[in-house]
Amino acid sequence: MIIMTNNSPQVEYIPPVYKEKRLRHSKNPDKIGVFLCRCGDNISNIIDMEKLKSSIKADFVAEFENLCSINCRRHIREEIIEHDLDRVAIVACSPLTHLKTFQNYADPLNPHMVEMINLREQCSWVHTDQEKATKKAIEVTRAGIEKLKNAQALDKIIRQTEKSAAIFGGGISGITAALSLANQGIKSCIIEKKPTIGGNMVKIGKVFSPEKLAEECALCILNPIINEVINHKNIHIMTRTNLLRAGRKATHFKLILEKDTGLVHEERCIACGKCAEVCPVEVPDEWNQKMTTRKAIYKTFPQAVPDVYTIDRENCIECGMCAEACKMGAIDFKLKPEVIPFQAGNIIIATGHENYDLNKRPEYGYHRFDDVISQMDLSRILGVNGPTQGELLRISDGKVPDKVVMIQCTGSRDEKADGKRYCSKVCCMIALKHASIIREHYPDTEVVICYTDLRTVGMYENYLRYVQDKGLKLIRGRPGEVSKKDGKLVVRVEDTLEGKPLDIETDMVVLSEAIEPSAGTMRIARKLNVGMNQDLFIKEKHAKIKPVNTDMGRIFVCGTAQGPKDITDSVAQANAAAAKVSEEIESGTEAEPPVAVIETSKCDLCGKCRNICGFKAVYKDEENMAVDPMACRGCGACAGQCPQEAIEIKGINDQELYAQIKALLSDKEEGEIRILAFLDNVGYTAADTIGYNRINYPEAIRIIRIPSINRIMSHHLMYAFNQGADGILMAEYPDECMLEAHKAKIKELTEKIAAEGIPNDRLRFYKAYAPHYRGLNKQFHRFYEDIRAEAKI
């Protein structure tokens, strides 16, 4: 192996794959046309256009004042047809700005036979020495033309996903999303693991309205929506159903569902209730937070949908009394769970949340003292269909409490073991809602809220003042414990505003429990291979601009499956998720190269490509590994991991990379420095911004645009060093999806280059950020100066 220095001869290092394919155009080479743009002197005032033009070897070369003008569109098309051109190079400005424009101008050609060569932002605007800038322009233009010679004509990859959606979760988010899609003519299936739809909203009794400064019946609001859902021709509801397996195609998902029959034929049951009347088994009722009992055969609540009884297998003793009482023959103890194959174009995860297990905070006495309850317990107590028909009564003696103390942040904003460090967002408003109801209907009952910080954003601040006006007492401080003394509960708290400890005697304590991800949310995430955040909620693709997308293409999230939020935000997010599904279905999606393609004849199904892909683009179908082009970003991480070399990156192949590297280094003179900068789209944007701001950097910098540093392999770097590169800078935005692959690539390239005898400081990595273009500029200068100092130039 020969390492290039400024004084060593050039030795061509060509990997075998390049040797095999480099002559593919030699017998019948395509005709190439080159169109030069003066850009209103933006380019021509620094670069000698005549010298540049005379250096170009092509079948057709023409120079224009402004190529992006409407008139030039006609010229480009006419010249392509008249000179029978097969490939076109546009020597002008940044491809980030105008590549699509010129691909449309050259529409007789395949769009991937059009190459843009950036002389404005990365040459004329960043250099002042005309001779050096012109020399660089000649090399950059030659590199672009050589890349163009090796480009592949690619067909458009358009995927029209199936016009259907599977929605996991039948709470307010799932119902809203299904209804939105159904009204757009999209078939939707609500898949719910519980016997009924409605989720947590049907349990909470009342919801608060900050605009009306009032509390409204939750079920009254929800029931019309549920009725609309069950009667909609485009919505199918599957309750008591779980996801067993999920397969993925480019246009749809293949799901295997398991539906528990509940030992009842749904089509026969008329919900008369005679089965429950004769059932001898009574168990705690989850609907009423186990404050009442239900039978082993039951309907969750009177208005439950579907309106069908179900048997609790765990508690049923199979005495057969219910079957005897059923005149419709609906009960059948021989019924088995049904496995159902299901196909859907898109998926929405709306699996909701669970409430924090208050037994993890034994200092508050939950389940130890009867009258220490949760906010959800209080919701059921205050609900007209609850265990006390809406009467505020203590569990211990059935009396109205004289005093109620609410403890906020029980499990939320908690640094202790098993605590949740995040704010659960709705707890303050729930406590205020219940305090308002109590003060309204029981004016003699005192209500005290012990809080850490009251968080009532926006219009909810008005609701806070409204409740305070009813006589609510607020104490800033988190209680340390709840004890019992002389038949009274005692809450020990430090009033942090007054700076003194307090012992508050009370008749009832209400704990505002944290919201945490449900077991169903975590299970679905794992089955669908969807990413979760550190708190185990479904992770959105980008919190700001893609708040309902997941890191898996065509899978969306809404509601509290994504994180704590109130009903208003859940409904808004559900509508947003439905809009994204509709967008996928109605408009179709065109994949932008580069994209990875797997040659199945070489693939041994090792799965390394799937494991490394942070965009979840690689999947296994019935027989082969495959790539979803809609999700693929062409970063090349999969190709780098493939031991069989079965993956090709269409849109930036090896031949294009080698051609650019060689052309950018071929005219290097004695004593000259050459630094190749491989920049991803963010890094390239930062480099363009340097140009926009007319900030100078050394002419030695030669930029090659790549989708990601994962696209660059060690043999690319060795080829560059052997062609005469003095240094290589690799800059990439650290996309969160690919952080592990990014770190692994840096480690791999550093180790392999070191093993070849390349000094460590000749290969550098930089985290690029589009706004921090000055940082990239400093990297260019620092790298150049370090190499110049070492070479004593």
Side-chain angles (χ1 to χ4, degrees):
M1 182 66 64
I2 299 178
I3 307 301
M4 279 299 301
T5 65
N6 285 325
N7 300 316
S8 60
Q10 288 191 352
V11 177
E12 188 171 42
Y13 172 81
I14 305 177
V17 65
Y18 186 45
K19 287 179 180 177
E20 292 171 7
K21 298 180 180 179
R22 67 185 302 195
L23 299 177
R24 95 185 131 91
H25 297 298
S26 60
K27 292 182 179 179
N28 296 297
D30 288 346
K31 284 189 172 184
I32 294 177
V34 179
F35 295 82
L36 301 173
C37 181
R38 299 174 63 87
C39 195
D41 290 340
N42 278 306
I43 294 175
S44 59
N45 66 342
I46 293 296
I47 294 168
D48 186 333
M49 298 301 288
E50 287 302 318
K51 194 172 183 179
L52 172 62
K53 189 175 179 180
S54 63
S55 71
I56 295 172
K57 296 177 181 178
D59 299 282
F60 172 82
V61 182
E63 182 180 343
F64 297 86
E65 189 64 33
N66 288 103
L67 268 179
C68 59
S69 67
I70 296 297
N71 288 335
C72 281
R73 173 169 55 187
R74 178 174 52 82
H75 287 301
I76 291 172
R77 286 174 177 166
E78 287 175 354
E79 302 297 354
I80 289 171
I81 295 168
E82 182 179 343
H83 296 277
D84 194 23
L85 301 178
D86 300 295
R87 299 164 186 254
V88 166
I90 306 293
V91 185
C93 53
S94 174
L96 298 181
T97 306
H98 281 306
L99 177 59
K100 289 288 186 185
T101 301
F102 287 110
Q103 285 177 336
N104 291 333
Y105 285 6
D107 60 7
L109 303 180
N110 183 288
H112 305 291
M113 296 294 97
V114 178
E115 175 68 18
M116 275 203 74
I117 299 166
N118 189 350
L119 293 192
R120 189 180 70 178
E121 285 84 348
Q122 297 181 6
C123 196
S124 67
W125 277 356
V126 292
H127 304 311
T128 55
D129 186 310
Q130 186 179 46
E131 184 178 347
K132 291 181 178 179
T134 301
K135 187 176 190 299
K136 177 178 176 179
I138 291 171
E139 292 179 10
V140 169
T141 301
R142 183 187 304 123
I145 294 172
E146 291 302 313
K147 177 189 177 187
L148 181 63
K149 289 178 181 178
N150 290 276
Q152 296 173 321
L154 303 177
D155 294 329
K156 285 185 177 181
I157 305 175
I158 299 176
R159 292 290 184 267
Q160 195 81 34
T161 59
E162 290 192 4
K163 199 171 183 178
S164 60
I167 300 165
F168 287 95
I172 183 62
S173 298
I175 290 170
T176 300
L179 199 53
S180 176
L181 289 171
N183 287 335
Q184 298 175 68
I186 298 169
K187 296 287 185 182
S188 303
C189 181
I190 297 174
I191 301 167
E192 170 59 55
K193 68 174 182 178
K194 294 180 179 178
T196 181
I197 63 173
N200 283 300
M201 187 173 173
V202 296
K203 292 178 66 176
I204 60 176
K206 289 183 180 288
V207 294
F208 47 83
S209 173
E211 299 89 350
K212 299 177 183 177
L213 296 180
E215 298 81 34
E216 301 173 306
C217 173
L219 202 54
C220 298
I221 296 171
L222 189 60
N223 258 343
I225 301 173
I226 292 178
N227 290 335
E228 194 175 350
V229 165
I230 63 176
N231 292 314
H232 206 296
K233 64 178 182 179
N234 289 329
I235 297 177
H236 178 57
I237 299 172
M238 296 177 67
T239 53
R240 299 192 301 270
T241 304
N242 285 301
L243 175 66
L244 292 182
R245 295 189 303 278
R248 183 179 175 195
K249 293 280 190 179
T251 59
H252 63 270
F253 294 93
K254 300 184 77 172
L255 310 175
I256 303 297
L257 307 174
E258 183 183 55
K259 180 175 174 58
D260 184 6
T261 60
L263 305 180
V264 176
H265 292 283
E266 288 188 13
E267 68 279 6
R268 299 181 191 174
C269 180
I270 59 172
C272 64
K274 291 181 180 179
C275 54
E277 290 175 6
V278 300
C279 179
V281 179
E282 290 195 359
V283 296
D285 187 1
E286 300 86 352
W287 163 254
N288 278 325
Q289 294 292 101
K290 299 184 178 181
M291 291 182 282
T292 58
T293 60
R294 61 164 172 82
K295 298 297 182 72
I297 185 166
Y298 69 102
K299 190 169 67 169
T300 308
F301 60 99
Q303 299 85 7
V305 174
D307 190 13
V308 174
Y309 275 74
T310 187
I311 291 179
D312 178 356
R313 291 173 183 269
E314 290 185 8
N315 293 294
C316 177
I317 59 174
E318 297 190 21
C319 63
M321 293 175 65
C322 56
E324 292 177 8
C326 182
K327 303 302 182 183
M328 303 302 297
I331 298 170
D332 184 355
F333 288 97
K334 294 181 180 179
L335 282 177
K336 301 293 183 184
E338 184 181 1
V339 176
I340 303 170
F342 188 81
Q343 195 163 295
N346 295 268
I347 290 173
I348 295 177
I349 301 174
T351 43
H353 68 276
E354 291 176 358
N355 290 320
Y356 183 75
D357 181 4
L358 294 173
N359 292 306
K360 294 177 180 178
R361 291 292 168 263
E363 62 269 26
Y364 292 143
Y366 189 69
H367 282 165
R368 188 154 49 93
F369 305 129
D370 288 340
D371 297 320
V372 176
I373 62 175
S374 69
Q375 290 288 0
M376 183 55 81
D377 296 336
L378 184 57
S379 288
R380 296 306 309 131
I381 290 172
L382 295 176
V384 293
N385 57 356
T388 63
Q389 286 76 52
E391 295 291 323
L392 178 64
L393 302 176
R394 293 194 302 183
I395 295 174
S396 61
D397 57 11
K399 294 181 180 179
V400 176
D402 294 325
K403 192 171 189 175
V404 176
V405 173
M406 298 182 182
I407 298 176
Q408 298 305 101
C409 299
T410 310
S412 295
R413 303 179 67 190
D414 192 341
E415 301 287 340
K416 297 178 185 176
D418 296 323
K420 306 299 176 184
R421 301 181 68 180
Y422 53 81
C423 170
S424 289
K425 199 171 181 179
V426 297
C427 311
C428 290
M429 295 307 306
I430 291 171
L432 290 173
K433 174 190 71 175
H434 289 155
S436 177
I437 294 170
I438 292 171
R439 291 296 298 162
E440 180 74 27
H441 297 282
Y442 302 91
D444 294 332
T445 298
E446 184 181 357
V447 180
V448 178
I449 296 181
C450 299
Y451 67 96
T452 307
D453 293 296
L454 274 179
R455 296 182 168 179
T456 57
V457 299
M459 290 183 294
Y460 296 123
E461 197 72 18
N462 295 331
Y463 189 77
L464 169 60
R465 296 191 186 97
Y466 164 72
V467 180
Q468 281 183 294
D469 289 341
K470 291 185 175 184
L472 171 67
K473 293 185 178 180
L474 299 172
I475 296 176
R476 191 180 188 279
R478 185 182 300 205
E481 65 173 347
V482 176
S483 60
K484 201 164 190 178
K485 183 179 180 182
D486 300 328
K488 283 276 191 178
L489 294 171
V490 179
V491 178
R492 179 159 293 177
V493 62
E494 179 186 2
D495 186 334
T496 58
L497 295 179
E498 295 288 337
K500 62 182 181 182
L502 296 173
D503 283 346
I504 307 172
E505 287 191 355
T506 183
D507 302 299
M508 180 182 285
V509 173
V510 184
L511 306 177
S512 295
E513 67 270 46
I515 284 177
E516 62 182 12
S518 67
T521 295
M522 292 182 278
R523 183 174 61 252
I524 287 291
R526 295 185 181 107
K527 294 283 186 184
L528 295 175
N529 196 27
V530 171
M532 295 180 283
N533 63 22
Q534 62 181 2
D535 299 313
L536 301 182
F537 290 101
I538 302 294
K539 186 180 185 302
E540 66 270 50
K541 190 165 189 177
H542 193 289
K544 300 297 183 188
I545 60 175
K546 294 187 177 180
V548 297
N549 296 67
T550 68
D551 57 5
M552 180 73 81
R554 303 194 319 280
I555 298 181
F556 305 92
V557 64
C558 61
T560 52
Q562 184 266 326
K565 59 180 61 69
D566 64 9
I567 293 170
T568 303
D569 288 346
S570 295
V571 169
Q573 199 175 38
N575 282 315
K580 294 303 292 184
V581 169
S582 179
E583 179 184 308
E584 289 270 353
I585 291 171
E586 296 302 325
S587 62
T589 308
E590 181 178 345
E592 289 285 344
V595 293
V597 176
I598 298 176
E599 190 174 337
T600 55
S601 61
K602 293 182 179 180
C603 177
D604 64 359
L605 303 177
C606 69
K608 290 182 178 180
C609 51
R610 179 174 56 186
N611 297 336
I612 197 66
C613 182
F615 300 106
K616 310 291 179 70
V618 185
Y619 63 94
K620 187 176 184 300
D621 59 19
E622 288 86 348
E623 298 178 357
N624 302 305
M625 299 302 296
V627 176
D628 181 354
M630 301 301 115
C632 180
R633 296 295 178 270
C635 71
C638 55
Q641 289 289 311
C642 182
Q644 304 300 321
E645 296 184 357
I647 301 177
E648 183 180 4
I649 308 299
K650 298 287 187 180
I652 181 164
N653 58 53
D654 278 350
Q655 291 71 49
E656 290 175 277
L657 285 170
Y658 289 128
Q660 289 180 88
I661 292 168
K662 183 176 181 180
L664 288 173
L665 299 170
S666 59
D667 282 351
K668 181 182 175 185
E669 297 177 359
E670 182 73 23
E672 273 193 301
I673 294 174
R674 285 287 183 276
I675 297 172
L676 292 186
F678 291 99
L679 308 182
D680 77 337
N681 282 339
V682 174
Y684 198 90
T685 300
D688 277 356
T689 309
I690 294 171
Y692 298 147
N693 288 275
R694 310 300 202 276
I695 302 173
N696 184 261
Y697 57 77
E699 294 86 355
I701 305 297
R702 301 287 190 270
I703 294 172
I704 296 177
R705 182 185 173 198
I706 56 173
S708 164
I709 67 170
N710 288 300
R711 178 65 191 92
I712 303 301
M713 311 300 170
S714 58
H715 54 77
H716 296 132
L717 300 186
M718 286 310 305
Y719 181 71
F721 281 121
N722 279 277
Q723 286 294 314
D726 297 287
I728 295 175
L729 175 68
M730 304 184 74
E732 178 176 46
Y733 173 72
D735 192 304
E736 199 169 340
C737 291
M738 295 298 294
L739 281 180
E740 292 306 314
H742 181 82
K743 292 175 184 176
K745 174 58 70 172
I746 291 175
K747 185 174 184 291
E748 172 202 339
L749 293 180
T750 302
E751 290 176 352
K752 288 189 176 181
I753 294 304
E756 296 290 344
I758 305 293
N760 289 336
D761 61 351
R762 294 296 181 92
L763 176 62
R764 298 187 182 182
F765 299 90
Y766 177 69
K767 292 182 179 179
Y769 298 90
H772 193 42
Y773 58 92
R774 294 184 186 276
L776 180 61
N777 187 58
K778 287 179 182 178
Q779 286 292 320
F780 288 161
H781 281 281
R782 188 178 297 125
F783 202 178
Y784 175 77
E785 293 299 333
D786 289 347
I787 289 176
R788 194 171 71 160
E790 184 181 340
K792 297 180 181 179
I793 296 174

